[in-house]
Amino acid sequence: MTGAGESGAGVIRTRALTKRYGSVTAVRSVDLEVRAGDRYGLLGPNGSGKTTLVRMLLGLVYATSGEIEVLGRRMPRHAREVLPQVGALIEEPAAYPHLSGRTNLALLDAAGPGGLSARRTRKRRVDEALEQVGLGGVGRRPVKAYSLGMRQRLGLAGALIRRPKLLVLDEPGNGLDPHGIRDLRELLIGLNEAGVTVFLSSHLMAEVEQLCTRVGVLDAGRLVLQDDLAALRAPTGRVMVDTPDADRAVALLDGQVERRDGDQLLVRPVVGDGAAGDAAGLNARLVEAGLRVSAIGPHQRTLEEIVLSVTGTGSDHVGESS
Ligand code: ATP
């Protein structure tokens, strides 16, 4: 389900976006497509170009070539109109350590675009943002007393203070413990359902799998995959079977077993078993033959399997020049 009304409209779009640092190509010819209402997760191992891409979207790094549109306007040319509508969190958020979280947020808001005119509603927006990220009770403490997770939450509050249409977050889960990750996920889903498009980078597949509706995968600077998670995780037409009688099942299903891992079999059903992916039909056949079945169900690939199938192995790929 998409949260925003104008579902399908382009919120972030890049064409052949490329960034070179000397002989290193950090981002190569990326066509990104983030639609209104998406919760988009940009995955990639360390050094795959995520931060460089995010920074280019916000006009913080200049592209070597290619085009960027954010909220329908070319970037960085229209940064002054676009950025006030975007909440951003990149790297570890900067803050004055001796000042409180509240004061830091108020200063950030005042220094932002249109900061003076935003003054009237500032106190209410600061309170609301602190409350949203779970810092309501500690907003008056100096930031130097904050844990890493609290600082990350404060950074997120800074991204939310202007009630943006679009959130751009670089590794927002960094420094958060499992509770913090869960709170972050609930917060982002809630905001998304209220109409905010969310774009985030992460190297954690599980985080993206639980939070996002759309996924992009960077590998050595290239976008090697971009699709809706539901489409990627659609049933494959195969059936997963767990059986303590795996040897007999393999013999019975002669040629239909595509993969075996101990007691677990990946089976391609044939017409006699019912439709493709029909676990019930296959189950009936196994049980009829006197085999015990401990678990059976339609097969879906995990995000990890999908990502590994389109990327090289290991991490820290360095984009060599081409
Ligand atoms: P991480 O998760 O480690 O932050 P990342 O996916 O965000 O990684 P980037 O930080 O965008 O990746 O880096 C992509 C490539 O570009 C790397 O090879 C990196 O060394 C190189 N790179 C990034 N910034 C610069 C820079 N300012 N000067 C030179 N090379 C850079």
Side-chain angles (χ1 to χ4, degrees), residues 8-287:
V11 166
I12 300 175
R13 224 179 238 151
T14 71
R15 288 288 167 265
L17 187 61
T18 298
K19 177 68 185 181
R20 287 194 201 96
Y21 292 107
S23 64
V24 174
T25 307
V27 172
R28 46 176 93 201
S29 201
V30 165
D31 295 341
L32 201 66
E33 187 90 51
V34 182
R35 300 160 313 192
D38 281 344
R39 293 196 297 270
Y40 189 119
L42 181 69
L43 276 168
N46 293 130
S48 56
K50 302 182 297 296
T51 300
T52 303
L53 180 52
V54 169
R55 289 178 152 268
M56 282 195 283
L57 299 178
L58 298 170
L60 298 169
V61 163
Y62 286 115
T64 306
S65 59
E67 292 173 12
I68 306 171
E69 256 183 36
V70 177
L71 296 171
R73 311 299 306 269
R74 286 288 294 273
M75 284 291 282
R77 194 183 310 151
H78 295 284
R80 277 164 54 126
E81 296 114 88
V82 171
L83 292 183
Q85 305 175 64
V86 179
L89 174 65
I90 41 170
E91 290 174 352
E92 206 188 315
Y96 296 107
H98 58 291
L99 299 179
S100 72
R102 300 187 92 261
T103 308
N104 267 289
L105 280 187
L107 287 173
L108 182 77
D109 189 58
L116 280 181
S117 55
R119 188 179 45 201
R120 273 188 321 113
T121 55
R122 183 165 303 139
K123 184 178 176 315
R124 185 152 38 87
R125 286 181 292 107
V126 166
D127 285 341
E128 188 182 286
L130 285 170
E131 205 58 53
Q132 276 180 304
V133 300
L135 287 180
V138 292
R140 290 179 192 284
R141 280 197 223 157
V143 167
K144 65 183 173 202
Y146 283 16
S147 67
L148 183 59
M150 287 161 76
R151 282 169 205 240
Q152 191 71 351
R153 286 167 192 253
L154 185 64
L156 197 59
L160 294 175
I161 194 165
R162 291 294 182 89
R163 298 172 182 154
K165 285 186 192 166
L166 168 65
L167 277 175
V168 175
L169 311 170
D170 192 20
E171 302 270 359
N174 271 1
L176 296 180
D177 61 19
H179 280 295
I181 300 260
R182 191 197 54 205
D183 293 349
L184 173 71
R185 184 165 62 236
E186 286 172 3
L187 172 66
L188 294 180
I189 290 175
L191 289 165
N192 177 251
E193 284 174 349
V196 179
T197 302
V198 178
F199 176 83
L200 58 90
S201 76
S202 175
H203 62 276
L204 301 174
M205 291 185 222
E207 185 178 293
V208 167
E209 189 160 25
Q210 289 183 62
L211 169 64
C212 294
T213 55
R214 191 164 164 81
V215 179
V217 178
L218 274 183
D219 184 34
R222 267 185 223 288
L223 192 67
V224 292
L225 178 77
Q226 175 170 251
D227 208 343
D228 290 339
L229 193 60
L232 291 170
R233 299 221 45 215
T236 61
R238 310 293 192 260
V239 174
M240 286 300 284
V241 183
D242 261 341
T243 167
D245 303 319
D247 289 335
R248 288 175 58 205
V250 170
L252 177 78
L253 299 171
D254 184 36
Q256 286 176 252
V257 178
E258 292 189 348
R259 198 173 71 211
R260 176 173 177 184
D261 183 9
D263 284 354
Q264 200 170 61
L265 309 176
L266 180 66
V267 182
R268 180 173 42 82
V270 291
V271 178
D273 304 325
D278 176 12
L282 184 63
N283 187 46
R285 187 164 154 217
L286 292 168
V287 173

